[in-house]
Amino acid sequence: MNQKKRYIYADNAATSPLSHKAYEAMVPFLVDEFGNASQPYAFARKPKKALQEARAMIADSIGALPEEIFFTSCGTESNNWVIQGAFQQGLHVVTSAIEHHSILRPCTLGDTTIVPVNNDGIVLRDEFCKALEKDERGLVSFMFANNEIGTIEPVGELADVAHHNGWLFHTDAVQAVGHTAINVHEIGVDMLSSSAHKFNGPKGIGFLYKRRGLEWPSLLLGGSQESGHRAGTENVALIVGMAVALQENIDSLQENIIHIQDLEEQLLHGLEKKDIAFHRNGSPNHIVGNISLSFPDEDGEAILHKMDLMGINVSTGSACDSKETQISHVLKAIHLKDKFAKGTIRVSLGRMNTVEDIDKIVSCMNKIIGKH
Ligand code: PLP
């Protein structure tokens, strides 16, 4: 981060700062150890070994086997691989109304049923069961945690329902991996998507967990990398950076959660103390630090820009074009009233945020929307 211009970064759900440890681990593979990991000669030995170690570290962090981890270029690719693979096999897809666009857009390419959610963003169980009646088997894809409001879905229970009905289950865990404990066997998912830049890893790298024995058509065709399941020369540096960043986050997971939870409470109490009216979106069970706030009769886009001018980066839940404010599909799906939806911003905190950051955020919000 640029130390000269000290700004407060509070948009960690969009992307997160790269861990220094991860950066240092990447450098040798960007500069000296640039060999192609798939080659048989001695110069490829170090990159090959690094690839194996990274795969094992990542597998271990989610309770998987190394051979169940497939490196991809990002969460979007992992999600597209899953959804497009389902359609290629003629499978019906059931998903939720609040998924990321990297699920919802590919879902427009085939037979899909979209399940609504309640006001907290939790998938409606009855509607889900009704959707499963449409076919004897298919693929269910429900996100582990929502990017806009932080809601954590009861993924284990939803996967049980899917399996009981003979359907496969995928979860988009891009917002959850590295932020909450995940064991793929305990939750019983067949596939899981993840992306490094959401857990202090580098951008442009992610992975797909695919249960051993599950046959799934490839999205990228070409060379025989990733055991013939995902073509393309492996980006060893990014893969190593992803593994080190994930390991670092998992090693201090409880510490991080407590720290971010404290900051979250500081922010909410700070706003209450200033008598600022707000509604917090999402469910009580959420990814810590993902704080979607709706300020009645305010304009989220305007708040974002004013905060930007004050040196604070947050995100909005609605986007203004020249004619009208567009409310996001997630806020629409949770039936948030327009009066609140238009004034929504998302503050997403990470382990690198501090008490001083929160003091500044509260004080700036008070200047923008408070009674001062
Ligand atoms: N899924 C969710 C829930 C996300 O929040 C994002 C990114 O914002 C993605 C998928 C896409 O990940 P990537 O940016 O690595 O393509």
Side-chain angles (χ1 to χ4, degrees):
M1 192 172 286
N2 183 348
Q3 292 300 323
K4 279 184 207 145
K5 180 177 182 273
R6 168 74 186 140
Y7 58 88
I8 292 169
Y9 186 75
D11 199 17
N12 288 271
T15 195
S16 54
L18 180 65
S19 132
H20 286 282
K21 223 169 154 183
Y23 169 73
E24 277 160 22
M26 286 162 64
V27 173
F29 299 97
L30 288 167
V31 185
D32 298 323
E33 298 295 343
F34 60 85
N36 184 325
S38 297
Q39 292 295 11
Y41 43 67
F43 186 53
R45 243 178 245 151
K46 274 198 182 155
K48 195 177 291 176
K49 186 161 175 277
L51 207 58
Q52 272 172 3
E53 284 172 1
R55 201 183 304 280
M57 279 161 80
I58 287 170
D60 194 47
S61 74
I62 58 164
L65 297 168
E67 62 264 34
E68 295 176 314
I69 302 297
F70 298 88
F71 298 124
T72 63
S73 64
C74 56
T76 298
E77 184 191 324
S78 301
N79 285 344
N80 269 261
W81 185 359
V82 172
I83 302 299
Q84 299 204 40
F87 292 147
Q88 235 177 296
Q89 298 169 85
L91 297 177
H92 189 111
V93 173
V94 165
T95 191
S96 88
I98 60 165
E99 300 296 313
H100 189 263
H101 284 120
S102 56
I103 290 287
L104 292 176
R105 294 240 165 98
C107 275
T108 62
L109 302 173
D111 214 2
T112 301
T113 303
I114 310 254
V115 179
V117 295
N118 71 12
N119 293 347
D120 287 348
I122 302 283
V123 166
L124 291 177
R125 202 67 66 96
D126 289 353
E127 298 288 333
F128 172 35
C129 291
K130 251 194 261 164
L132 294 178
E133 286 167 12
K134 292 202 171 172
D135 229 317
E136 297 217 324
R137 60 187 290 272
L139 173 82
V140 176
S141 181
F142 288 143
M143 67 204 319
F144 197 110
N146 182 267
N147 45 305
E148 276 191 46
I149 57 174
T151 293
I152 296 180
E153 299 293 338
V155 166
E157 292 168 27
L158 297 169
D160 275 354
V161 175
H163 289 151
H164 187 72
N165 284 272
W167 288 55
L168 293 166
F169 193 94
H170 162 254
T171 188
D172 170 359
V174 164
Q175 291 289 335
V177 172
H179 300 286
T180 186
I182 295 180
N183 182 304
V184 284
H185 295 297
E186 275 169 21
I187 53 174
V189 296
D190 298 295
M191 289 178 279
L192 174 148
S193 301
S194 178
S195 176
H197 73 105
K198 307 290 186 179
F199 52 76
N200 308 100
K203 291 169 188 56
I205 190 75
F207 68 87
L208 179 70
Y209 155 80
K210 189 160 63 69
R211 173 176 57 72
R212 187 165 57 167
L214 175 66
E215 294 292 328
W216 208 253
S218 299
L219 181 68
L220 296 192
L221 306 176
S224 56
Q225 292 89 353
E226 298 298 285
S227 323
H229 294 280
R230 196 273 186 184
T233 302
E234 302 90 344
N235 194 330
V236 179
L238 295 188
I239 291 167
V240 166
M242 170 163 70
V244 170
L246 183 54
Q247 183 76 62
E248 196 182 3
N249 268 17
I250 297 292
D251 284 349
S252 56
L253 191 63
Q254 279 318 310
E255 208 179 297
N256 294 346
I257 290 175
I258 292 167
H259 170 65
I260 298 169
Q261 180 80 53
D262 286 348
L263 297 181
E264 186 174 310
E265 280 165 23
Q266 186 194 341
L267 173 64
L268 298 176
H269 290 156
L271 293 177
E272 280 162 12
K273 264 201 225 146
K274 300 271 184 207
D275 245 354
I276 298 174
F278 69 89
H279 168 75
R280 194 220 171 130
N281 303 304
S283 105
N285 186 22
H286 59 265
I287 291 291
V288 286
N290 185 319
I291 311 164
S292 170
L293 299 170
S294 293
F295 301 100
D297 302 316
E298 295 286 346
D299 178 347
E301 189 88 351
I303 298 172
L304 178 149
H305 290 303
K306 285 179 189 163
M307 290 189 76
D308 188 20
L309 290 174
M310 293 172 169
I312 298 170
N313 303 136
V314 296
S315 171
T316 171
S318 54
C320 255
D321 64 19
S322 53
K323 294 193 191 102
E324 58 178 336
T325 299
Q326 311 253 314
I327 292 162
S328 82
H329 68 289
V330 174
L331 299 185
K332 278 187 190 152
I334 61 170
H335 304 290
L336 192 64
K337 289 200 178 90
D338 274 15
K339 168 186 164 79
F340 286 94
K342 284 180 182 164
T344 301
I345 60 161
R346 179 190 66 188
V347 178
S348 50
L349 305 173
R351 63 178 160 91
M352 301 192 194
N353 285 113
T354 62
V355 167
E356 292 72 35
D357 289 351
I358 305 299
D359 281 342
K360 176 106 193 278
I361 292 174
V362 171
S363 136
C364 289
M365 281 187 177
N366 189 39
K367 281 189 192 133
I368 298 167
I369 38 185
K371 297 170 190 129
H372 315 307

